[in-house]
Amino acid sequence: MTSGDIVYDKIHFRHDPKWSGRLGPAEGGGLLFCVACVIEMVESDNIASVRKSFALSGISVVLKCSPGSLRELLQQDHRVSLRFTASLLEMLHTVEDPDTLEKVHKVLVQLLLELQSELSLCFVLDKIHKQLTDQLSVKAFLPTFNFLGSLVEAVPDVAHRLVTQYVPMLDHLCSALLYPDEALKASALYVWLKLFGTAGGSAVQSLPIAIRDRVCLLLLQTLANASSPQLISNCVGLLWLLVQQGEAVSILMSSPSNQIMCSENQNSQSLSQNQEQQSPDHCPLPFILKKLLLSGDEMLQTTSAKCIAAVLIHSPSQSSAPFIKADVPEFLFDRLASSSSEVLLWSVYSCLVLLTEDPLFFVQCHSVYGIGSLVRSLKEALRLTNLEVPKQGLVLLTEILERQPPSVRLFPSAPGFVAVSEVVVAGVSSSCLLVATQAASAASALFSLNHQSRPVQYREIEALIEAITNKVSELSLPSYSHHRSSGSLKRSDSNKASTSEGFLLQALVCFQAACRLAEECASEPLLKENTFTSPFKHSYTQDSLESLCRCLLRCCDSVWIPTITRMNERAPNPQILQYFYSILSSQFTLLPSLMAVFSDKLASSGFYRLSLEHKGLFCAGNRNPNLNASACGFLQKLSMCLLSQSDHAFGAHQHDVEEVENLLVHNLPSLCVRLSDWPSLLCEAPGVQLCEYKGPRATQYCLLIMLHLALQQGDRLLPDQTVFSSVVWLLQSVQEQGCCALPRSVLRSALYLLAVTQDKSPDLDGAPFNCISKALASCQSFSSLYIHHPALLHFICRYPELAEKFGPLVLELWLTKQAQHTDAEQTMADTQEKREKRESCADERQDQGPDTETMELLTLIEKYPAVILTLLDMVCTRDAPLAGRALGVLEVLLRGQKDYQADLCANLRPALLQVLQRLSMENMGPGFGQGHTAQAVNSLPLVLKLLCVTQASDPPSSYSYSKMDGVHFKLLYHVSNITGRMKPANTESLLPALSYLYCSLSQSPAHCTDRAVSMLLSNSGLMDQLQTVLSSSSSSSSAPSACPPSALLCCSHLLLSSLITLQRVYSTQVHKSLSWGLDTAIQRLLVQKRNTDDLLLVSHLRLLQALLDVDLASAVVCVSSGPGLVGPRPLGVEDGAFYPLGSRGTQCLATALSGLLLQKHELLLRASVNCLSSLLGFLQRKSPTTAKNVVCQPWSRFLFYCLLSSGESCLLHPVILRVITLVRGFTHTHTHKSNQLLQHGSTAVLWEPQLLQVMEAVERRGLKELCKEAAQALRLLLTQIESGVLQPPPTEEFKQRVRSMMESLDLQMPAESCSPSLPSNVLRVGDVSICLSDFTVKAG
C-alpha cells in the first residue's frame, strides 16, 4: 500500500478497475481506493492487524470527507456491498485489538449510513440475529452489542425493526444480562439504552410487554449487583428511561427482592402472579437508588434523584411509601448538605417535594431531620445563577411548612427560626419575581403559629414583612389605561405584568397570614411578650407583639393601600381584593388604640364607595363569595369603629351596638348592588318584615347607616337631594306601616342625613314634617340621637316646632361636646407648659379669636336670633361649667355684635332683668350668695359679667338709654341691692357688679343720673362693701392673701370717683361716708408703682382727680392724711391750706405725676395729665404762688426735654400737647414782668425754638392726620401763644405761621383715624370695664 492510498499492491492487479477510484476533491489528487483490496484484506487472516486498522482508518476518512463516493462504487453490484458489510461484521468477532474493533464499529455505522439501503440494514440485522442464534454463548458478542447500540442510535428506523421484526434477538439481549461478565452486560444494556432512548422512545411502544417486563427485572438484578462504572452508568441510564414510562414504573416498583433473584426460565405468567402477591414495601428499587445516592459520583446521584422523582410522578400514592420506609429522604437531605451542583440540587428538591405529599414523610420525622440541611442549601442556592434551583428549593420549604403536623415543631428554638426567616427574606429580595413569589408563599406557611419558636421571634417576622412590603413597592404594575393606550403589549411585557400580579397576590396572602399570626399571638397571653425580656423593656423593645402590629399597620398604610388602590383603579382583580379587604379588617383587631385615626383615613379616602362598588361589581349573583365575605367584614369593622368614634356614648349603649352589628352582619352580604340602584332600594315598599334584622326594611336601615358614615367622612355616595327625599320617604313609610319607633341607631343616621343634606333640599311641611317630628319624639332619649355637627343645629333651629322641643337640649349637647373636645386637647398638651403659660394666655384671651364651635354658634345666632334667649336661659339655670360656656358664646357675640342686628343688647336686657329679679327673690336674706339653690350662686357672677359685656358692646350711637330708662334703672337697682347683700369674700360676683355700677353711672343720660347717684349713695350695704375693699387695700397689717384683687380695687376706685363727681354736680344727699387714706395712695404712686398694675394706678389717679376737683372735701369720701404728707401740729400755712395733702404731699404727688407722664400706657398717660390738671387747679385755688413753684421745679424742665425729644408721634400726642399747654398757662399767669415761660432762676426752658419744633412736627404730619383730641390741644396751645408774651419776642414769620395754623384748624374738621383710644365708649380690660369718657384729656 502506498502512503495514504487504500490499495494492496500485491493483489490489486487482479481486480477489475471498476472497483477502484480516486476519492477526494475534484480539483486534484485524492486517495486511491479499491473495494476489492479492502475486502480481501479484511477477510484474510494473513494480513496484519495494523494494515487492516490502517485500511479502516482510510475508509472512515473517505466516508467522512467524500460522502457518496464509496456508495457509487458499491452500487455497481449489491453483492459486493453485502460482502463488504459481512466482512466488517465478521471482524467484530475475530479482531481482538480494541482500537481496531473501535474502527470496525465506526466504519460499519458510517457505511450503513452511507449506503442508506434497507437491504443492507436487514442484512446486518439478519446476520447478527443468525450469529446470536448459532452461538451457544453470547460472550463474544460484546463488540456486536456495542455496534448494534450505535446503529440504533445512528439509524432510528433500526429500533422499530428490532421491536417488531427481531423480537428473538431482543430475547438474546435479555439473556446477555444474565451473563456474569459486566462488560458484556454493559454492552447489552447499551443496546437497550439506545433502543429505549431513540426517537423519543417511540419504538418502545411496540415492544412486547413480556420483553419490557423482563428488561425491567433484569435491569434491577443487574443494577443491584453491578460494580463496574460503565455497567452502573448504563444501568442508571436505562433506568432513567424506563421510569419515564408508567407501565415500566409499575413493574419496577412491584418487583420484590426475591423476584429479582429468580432464574431466567420463569415465565411471564408466574411473574405476574408473584407481582400481585408481593407487597411493594419489599421492592428493591428504593434501596438501589439509595445506594446510588451514597456513591461518590455526582452524576449518579443526580440521575438517582431524577429517577426517584420520575417514579413518584407516575404513582405518588403507591411509590412514596417504599422510598420513605427505605429512608431515602434522609439520604436526599444529606445530599443537599454536601453538594452545590445546580442539577443535583434541583433534582433532590424535586424528589423531596413529591415525597412530602405522603403523610408518612412527616410521621417518620424526615422533615425535622432535614430542615436544617434544606435551609443551609437554600442559602447557597440563592447565590446560584440558575434561579430555577432556589425556586424549587423554596417550593420544598413551602410544602414542608404547610404539611408539617402541628404536634411536631420544626423550630423549637430561636436560632432555627432565625435561619429560615433569613433565607426567606433573601428569597423575597431576589431579582427574579418567580423566586420572590415562591419565597412569599414560603413566608405565608412560616407565619403559622405552630412554626413559631419560643419565645416568638417578632423581630424576624417584622423583617420578613418589611422585605415583602419593600418588594411590593418596587413592582411595576401597568394599569388598564396603559394597556389601552399601547394597543397590544408584547408577549414579554404581558408575561412580566402577569408575573408581577402573581407576586402581588402571593404577597397579599403572606401579609394576611402575618396578620392572622399576630391575632393568634394576641389571644395567647404567653405569646404576647418575650419571656426573656426584662419587664420594663416590653413596651419599648422592637421584639414585641405591639411592635409587630405597628409594623403591619405602617406597611399597610404606606405601601399596601396605595399599591392596591392604584392597581385596581382600572382593572380590579377579585382575588387580590379579597385578601386586601381581609388585611384591612385585621388591622382593627391588632391595634384598637390607633383605629380611630386609621378608620378616619380610610373613610375619608373613599373606602366606603370603593368597597361597595367592588361588591356590586364582582359579588352580584352569588359570585365571588370569599370577596363578598371579606368586604363585608371590613365594612362592618370600619362602620362600628366610626360609630363609636363619632359618639363616645355609643359604646355605652350595648343594645345600640348589638343592633347596628346585627343589621350590618345580616344585610351587608346581600347588599351587592351598584350605588346607582340604592335610591330604588330605599324607596322600595318592603312588604311584610318577618325578621327584625333581615329583609328589605332591614336592608334599607343598613343603607341609611352606610350613607351616614360615608357622608360623615365627606364621601357622598348619593346626591344630597336624593338622600334627603329618600330618608323622608323611608320615615313616612315606616310610620304608615304602624311602626313609629325606628331603631335608635337608624333614627340617628336618618337625622344626621336630613341635617347634612338640608341645604340643597326644600323646606319640610305638612305630612313629611309631622312624620319627622313624630319620629324624633318617639325616642325616649334625644341625646342618644345627637351628633356633634353644625348641620344638626341648623336643622333643629330651622323649624320653630323642633326648636321649641329640642333646641335647648341640642345647644346644651353642643356646648358639652365642645368642652369635651377642648379638654381632650388640653390633656394631650404638656402640663408644665400649660402652667407656665397660664397667665400669659389669660392676658391674651381678649385678643384671641373664638374657636370653631363658638363660630358655628355665632353663625347659627345670626340666622336664628332666638337662640340667644336659649343661651341666656342656660346661663341662669344650668350648672356652672355649662353656664360658663354659654356665657362665653354670648360674650363673643356681644363683642362683635355690630355684625348682627342693632337691637341685640336691647333684647337681652329685659331677659337679664328677669334673671336678676328671680335671683333677688331666691336670696332675700343677708349675705347674698348663700341662697337656697346652688344654681343661683353659680349663675350670679355669670349674669353680672353678661351685663358688663352688654355695656361694653352697646355702641355710643345707641338710643337704648333714652328708650329703656326703666330697664336700665331697674337693672341698676337690682345690681346695687345684690351688691350690698354680698359677702365681701365673694369677689367673683363683686367685681362684675361694681364694674357694671360704675359704667352705668358714666353712661346714664343726664335726666337719669341724679336718680342713679341718689339710689347708690342711699344703699348702705353698697357703701359698706366699698369701704371694706378700701380698708383691706390700705391696711398695712393685712396679709397679701387678704388684700382684694387689683381688678376689684380698680372697680371700687372708679365707682367712687364717679360718685364723688356726680354727687357734687347734683348735690345728692349722702347717708354714709367712706374713709380713704391719701398717704397710702400717694406712696403707691411714688414708690410702689413698679410693683403695681397699670390699671390700678389708673384707678388711683382717677380717684385722686375726682377728689382734687372737689378740693379733697367730699361728703362721699372722707380723706385722711398722714405724717408723710403734712408736718407736725400745729400745721403751717401751706400745710393748712393744702390739708390733707400738705405741702410735702403736693411735691410728692407732682413728682409722681411727672414720672408717670413718661410711661407708654395710654390710659395711664391720660389719667396722669388729667390728675396733673386737677392738682394745679387745686393749688391755684388754694395758693397761686405754690402752683407756680410746683410748675417751675427742676423736674418740669427735665420732663419737657424728654417730651420734646421723644419723637414726632409722641410730641403730637394729645396728652403731651396738653402738658405743654397746661404748664405754659400756669407759668404765664404768674410771670407778670419777666415774660418768661417756665423760668427757673435765669434759664428759660420754653421759648420760640421749642414752640417752633412743635409747629414743624404738625406741618410735617398734616392737620388731617391729627385726632380730635390732639387738634383741640393744639388749638388751645396756639391760642395761648397768640395771647401771651414771649421773651425774646417772636419774629413776624413765627407769628404768621401761628395765625395760619389757627385758621386751618378753624376751617378743617380734624380726622379721627389716628385716635389712640378704642371706638367703643366702654373698654373691657380683663374683667374691668372702663368708660373712656372719664379719660378724655381735659381741655380746661
Side-chain angles (χ1 to χ4, degrees), residues 838-887:
R838 187 174 298 158
E839 294 184 1
S840 61
C841 289
D843 296 337
E844 298 174 0
R845 191 178 300 135
Q846 189 78 16
D847 301 328
Q848 292 179 352
D851 53 36
T852 305
E853 282 81 0
T854 303
M855 289 302 300
E856 293 292 348
L857 283 179
L858 297 180
T859 305
L860 182 72
I861 293 172
E862 183 179 7
K863 198 171 183 180
Y864 309 106
V867 175
I868 299 176
L869 298 178
T870 305
L871 290 172
L872 182 57
D873 182 69
M874 293 172 64
V875 170
C876 304
T877 60
R878 299 298 191 271
D879 56 0
L882 183 60
R885 288 188 286 276
L887 174 67

Side-chain angles (χ1 to χ4, degrees), residues 960-965 968 1000-1012 1062 1066:
S960 59
Y961 284 101
S962 60
K963 294 179 181 178
M964 300 180 62
D965 294 343
H968 273 285
S1000 295
L1001 282 180
S1002 298
Q1003 290 181 320
S1004 295
H1007 64 280
C1008 297
T1009 305
D1010 58 340
R1011 288 190 298 158
L1062 294 175
Y1066 297 106

